[in-house]
């Protein structure tokens, strides 16, 4: 069994090796993970919304299939106006919303 000073020397060596290792952080799916995205959750309209209405928490949910925007955009989209009528089950995409938030606090 290694003594305490030897353990620290090993820890230092392995830490340096880790920092020097090549590579990049990638948050996108790799080619091997690619596969069908329909099994992932995404943002969808869950009740009918008329053009011009702002999106609320009651209008949008994260559900499967994953044909809409990623759920990380939910907070960003709340309060944005819908540019055309959308029925329940419609995947939420950027083309469906107007980029100006409603400031009346209706979300």
């Amino acid at each position: 069994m290694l003594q305490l000073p030897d353990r620290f020397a090993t820890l230092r060596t392995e830490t340096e090796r880790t920092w020097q290792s090549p590579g990049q952080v990638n948050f996108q799916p790799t080619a091997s993970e690619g596969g069908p995205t329909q099994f992932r959750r995404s943002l969808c309209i869950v009740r009918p919304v008329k053009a011009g209405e702002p999106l609320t928490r009651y209008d949008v949910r994260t559900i499967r299939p994953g044909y809409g925007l990623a759920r990380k955009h939910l907070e960003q989209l709340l309060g944005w106006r819908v540019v055309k009528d959308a029925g329940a089950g419609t995947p939420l995409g950027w083309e469906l919303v107007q980029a100006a938030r409603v400031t009346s606090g209706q979300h």
Side-chain angles (χ1 to χ4, degrees):
M1 186 156 117
L2 294 174
Q3 297 298 322
L4 192 57
D6 294 332
R7 287 182 179 173
F8 283 123
T10 303
L11 177 63
R12 181 176 181 265
T13 302
E14 294 303 320
T15 302
E16 286 178 359
R17 185 177 297 159
T18 301
W19 277 104
Q20 294 170 357
S21 63
Q24 297 180 13
V25 175
N26 182 12
F27 295 105
Q28 300 300 321
T30 63
S32 63
E33 297 172 327
T37 59
Q38 73 263 20
F39 299 113
R40 296 189 178 127
R41 292 184 179 271
S42 69
L43 298 176
C44 288
I45 303 290
V46 292
R47 67 179 195 160
V49 180
K50 298 285 184 187
E53 289 183 11
L55 289 173
T56 67
R57 291 190 186 278
Y58 302 107
D59 301 322
V60 182
R61 294 279 186 274
T62 56
I63 60 174
R64 288 184 178 100
Y67 298 126
L69 293 171
R71 58 182 158 181
K72 69 181 181 180
H73 298 293
L74 176 62
E75 293 297 322
Q76 178 185 359
L77 290 170
L78 293 178
W80 286 20
R81 293 188 186 274
V82 177
V83 296
K84 61 183 179 181
D85 293 352
T90 303
L92 184 55
W94 294 116
E95 71 285 347
L96 191 59
V97 294
Q98 183 178 3
R101 281 183 69 96
V102 177
T103 57
S104 64
Q106 295 181 8
H107 65 289

